[in-house]
Amino acid sequence: SNHGINSDSIDLLQYNGYVMSGTIDDFNNFGTFVISNDMSDSANYSVVKNWLDIENFSDYFAIETWSENGDWLQNNVRYWRERKAGAKWRHILWDLDFFGTGWWPFTANSLDTNMKKISGDKISYQSILFTTLVQNTEFREYFINRYADLINTLLHKDNLKKFANAIRDSIDPEMPRQFKRWGWGYNNPAFGNSGNGSYDTWRLDNFNQLIYFINNRNITARNHIQQVFNLKQQVPLTLTVYPPGAGTIQINTVQPDSFPWGG
């Protein structure tokens, strides 16, 4: 629906290649090319750019790792392409109910963790794809800069808190009935969840845990990028135009709509 494509003419896969619609043939050819060729070579990477939506994949990996989604890569992975020559593979961001909820602490380096899922019982095709592509300078620099762009915009704490508050307020009138009928809802004593949650617990405890994560995540996420890619330092940057309204500035994928702008 989002792309105006006939739903009967797509290849839709999940996890490590389970076919939901269409076939896995093109993805197998794609994966074979990636692991069989030197991705540091610009010619090989140019082939990949015509086979994979690089912008989509970078955003997907950045947001999943930033959000500490502990139920991802070994689970909740879907990707698709229109079934025609030249169509690119894209990934679907879905099922983020573990977003910032304490599966891992906000200090956990989930970028490093998910890059290492390339062997053993938790092997992931997407992890193999990502760790192979970052051998290419163009992709690596794009991903690092795009991750910074997302932290400075979509994932900025002020933006996320505004969004979280709006969602909380939109469902608030329904929550007393939710708890009256279902309790906490997730009743699993083995995980320490008794199913005896309450409206006050949700409003005052669970939601505040989310806000705490949002307030603190970007500092550690930047540090993880610096550590994983062995970068020398982080550089605070302030942009402005003079006189006001005199022009625009583009930095990476961001064009600030007001000045001064910092990131």
Side-chain angles (χ1 to χ4, degrees), residues 64-130:
E64 288 279 15
T65 53
W66 184 95
S67 65
E68 298 280 337
N69 186 6
D71 200 19
W72 173 70
L73 263 192
Q74 72 275 14
N75 195 27
N76 295 331
V77 177
R78 286 181 182 169
Y79 39 110
W80 68 281
R81 69 182 283 272
E82 186 177 7
R83 200 179 311 126
K84 70 175 186 180
K88 295 183 180 182
W89 284 97
R90 294 182 171 93
H91 288 74
I92 300 172
L93 189 68
W94 70 296
D95 200 339
L96 271 75
D97 55 338
F98 279 104
F99 181 110
T101 55
W103 181 287
W104 291 327
F106 73 86
T107 55
N109 191 340
S110 56
L111 175 62
D112 181 67
T113 300
N114 285 296
M115 286 177 66
K116 291 179 177 177
K117 292 179 178 176
I118 57 176
S119 63
D121 60 350
K122 290 187 176 181
I123 188 171
S124 165
Y125 287 179
Q126 278 62 40
S127 183
I128 294 173
L129 177 59
F130 183 83

Side-chain angles (χ1 to χ4, degrees), residues 205-220:
D205 186 13
N206 301 148
F207 183 77
N208 286 337
Q209 289 179 31
L210 176 62
I211 297 302
Y212 182 79
F213 180 92
I214 291 172
N215 279 332
N216 291 279
R217 179 58 180 160
N218 280 339
I219 296 173
T220 55

Side-chain angles (χ1 to χ4, degrees), residues 9 21 30 46 60 62 86-87 94 99 103 110-111 134 156 167 181 197 199 204 212 218 237 239:
S9 64
S21 179
F30 168 58
S46 292
Y60 174 77
W94 70 296
F99 181 110
W103 181 287
S110 56
L111 175 62
V134 294
H156 190 282
I167 293 176
R181 182 174 179 91
Y199 172 83
L204 302 176
Y212 182 79
N218 280 339
L237 184 68
L239 304 176

Side-chain angles (χ1 to χ4, degrees), residues 18 23 43 59 101 113 140 165 187-188 233:
Y18 175 82
T23 74
D59 282 7
T101 55
T113 300
R140 183 171 63 253
N165 283 323
N187 189 350
N188 190 333
Q233 63 182 353

Side-chain angles (χ1 to χ4, degrees), residues 225-250:
I225 286 284
Q226 184 176 351
Q227 294 163 12
V228 167
F229 294 106
N230 195 29
L231 306 177
K232 291 183 179 180
Q233 63 182 353
Q234 300 171 37
V235 181
L237 184 68
T238 300
L239 304 176
T240 192
V241 296
Y242 182 82
T248 61
I249 299 175
Q250 179 87 20

Side-chain angles (χ1 to χ4, degrees), residues 19-75:
V19 177
M20 301 180 69
S21 179
T23 74
I24 195 176
D25 297 346
D26 186 78
F27 188 80
N28 277 342
N29 292 335
F30 168 58
T32 299
F33 179 85
V34 170
I35 64 176
S36 302
N37 291 277
D38 179 6
M39 284 300 109
S40 66
D41 183 89
S42 58
N44 291 332
Y45 182 60
S46 292
V47 174
V48 170
K49 288 195 292 184
N50 290 323
W51 219 329
L52 175 71
D53 187 324
I54 295 296
E55 291 79 10
N56 164 271
F57 186 62
S58 297
D59 282 7
Y60 174 77
F61 218 90
I63 291 173
E64 288 279 15
T65 53
W66 184 95
S67 65
E68 298 280 337
N69 186 6
D71 200 19
W72 173 70
L73 263 192
Q74 72 275 14
N75 195 27

